[in-house]
Amino acid sequence: MKQSVTVEAGGARMPETTTPHHFVAGIGAGPANLSLAALAGRHLPERVVLFDRQSGPSWHSGMLGADARLQNSWIKDLVSLVDPCNRLSFLNYLVTTGRIFAFLNAQFTAVPRVEYARYLAWAAGELGTVHYGVDVVEVDFTDRFVVRGRNGAVATADHLVLGLGTRPRVPECFRSGTGLIEGAVLAEHLDAHLNRSEAPPAGQVIVVGGGQTGAEAVQCLIRRGYRDIRWLGRRHWFAPLDDSPPANDFYRPTYQKFFYQLPDEVRRSYLAEQAYTSDGISLDTLQEIYRANYEAFLRDGRAPVMLLPGRDVVRAGSTGGGLGLWCERGSGGRERHTAGLVVIATGREPAPMPLSAALHELVETDNAGEPLIEQDYSVRWKHSTAHKLFLQNRGRFTHGLADPNLSLLSVRSAMIVNSLADREAYTIRDEQVYTMWA
Ligand SMILES: Cc1cc2nc3c(=O)[nH]c(=O)nc-3n(C[C@H](O)[C@H](O)[C@H](O)COP(=O)(O)OP(=O)(O)OC[C@H]3O[C@@H](n4cnc5c(N)ncnc54)[C@H](O)[C@@H]3O)c2cc1C
């Protein structure tokens, strides 16, 4: 809907302009906001419009290598846990693209991530409300939200949902200006980097980071023929993902409700204890690395991967032989490793929120400066009764470990739709819980 509105920037009134106005605008078109747009459907007065800085549909495109698999069931798609008849289900995607029989016959135990990325692109196309190539640099508030891209206002909205996702966390010692020090590459750029490089796989490569991304970087190097890979991790072991039934209890709506009402310090200690249910490495990935080592040792008398857990990289700098990493060992003492190439896989952090300073002032924050998130994922802020501002994938400390994952994506979206519609548009049922949490 096009409307003539007056847009103000930080108090200074700009000339009247014609900017599309929406009931709900979403920034980011990753799985979180795609799920919301898919579920909003007939329950809201208008379709949800999304803006994303990427030039087209793309989901962690640098991390879709062979054997990259989803860590959760495909039933936990954009919609099915709350609305299995929704046309944007993964099952409907497989049927309408004609791949259902081939997919079933391939007998995957876990869906290839490249298939999930295709599903998301299909869903975005079906929705038809995603605007790509819009880097939102500021969100302001006048009597409505004003969304600004690099060339000015792109939309105004009554309500806003930020689904900005995460970006790689890079330790200070690997940074140089706005980029990385020479010889270092982000795990998500490793494949492209190796494709560009004309050199045969030779010399030592170090992978820093003991999570799934680090493990997949190691797998990628093994497949490309590297035979001298050092894998450093800060934890004292390369911990597998706990996918057991008690671990998966944490990824149920009932547990989220329980978790939300716990005191802050209890939530934080539980999160630390539950870390491996989310941040551990898939068993398949670990098995593949150990098997590659075993077989290479049988053939060549030498294993390609040296596992170095309990190492904290505290300094990095160029040495005669390449990039040197100084590590503090958890077991005591220091050591140095040097390699021609260092792959950074040191976790992710929330993407920056493009709220204007004036809007940020109106938002209630915690001690760490993070917005306070209500149980329905809305932010506590000055005009929240008339204009809701929601945060997706930013509630790890309030809603638990399911929040940054795909597991309860559709449940979170359903709760946001209910809040926007101001009624129980979706009923979230989670019966037969056998664990008494309190
Ligand atoms: C390699 C990888 C694999 C993963 N695999 C799994 C898995 O198997 N199972 C699981 O449960 N979880 C997984 N996760 C974790 C998580 O589920 C995903 O990161 C998921 O993509 C999060 O969805 P999202 O929509 O919140 O964020 P994202 O997918 O990151 O999407 C955010 C979008 O917002 C856009 N954006 C950000 N800021 C702006 C801005 N200012 N203006 C315009 N656009 C903006 C970005 O371009 C991006 O497209 C994985 C994470 C990674 C990194």
Side-chain angles (χ1 to χ4, degrees), residues 27-34 51-54 58-60 63 69-72 113 120 134-137 163-166 188 213 216 348 351-352 354 392-393 403-407 409 412:
I27 318 297
N33 270 349
L34 287 175
F51 298 92
D52 200 295
R53 63 159 67 102
Q54 303 196 79
S58 168
W59 181 66
H60 301 310
M63 299 290 302
R69 299 273 185 262
L70 270 195
Q71 286 183 318
N72 49 275
R113 284 215 297 268
L120 295 178
V134 182
D135 185 10
V136 175
V137 291
L164 307 169
T166 54
E188 62 188 38
T213 302
E216 288 183 16
R348 299 184 72 86
Q392 302 228 55
N393 190 351
D403 198 60
N405 288 297
L406 301 174
S407 290
L409 204 66
R412 182 175 59 197

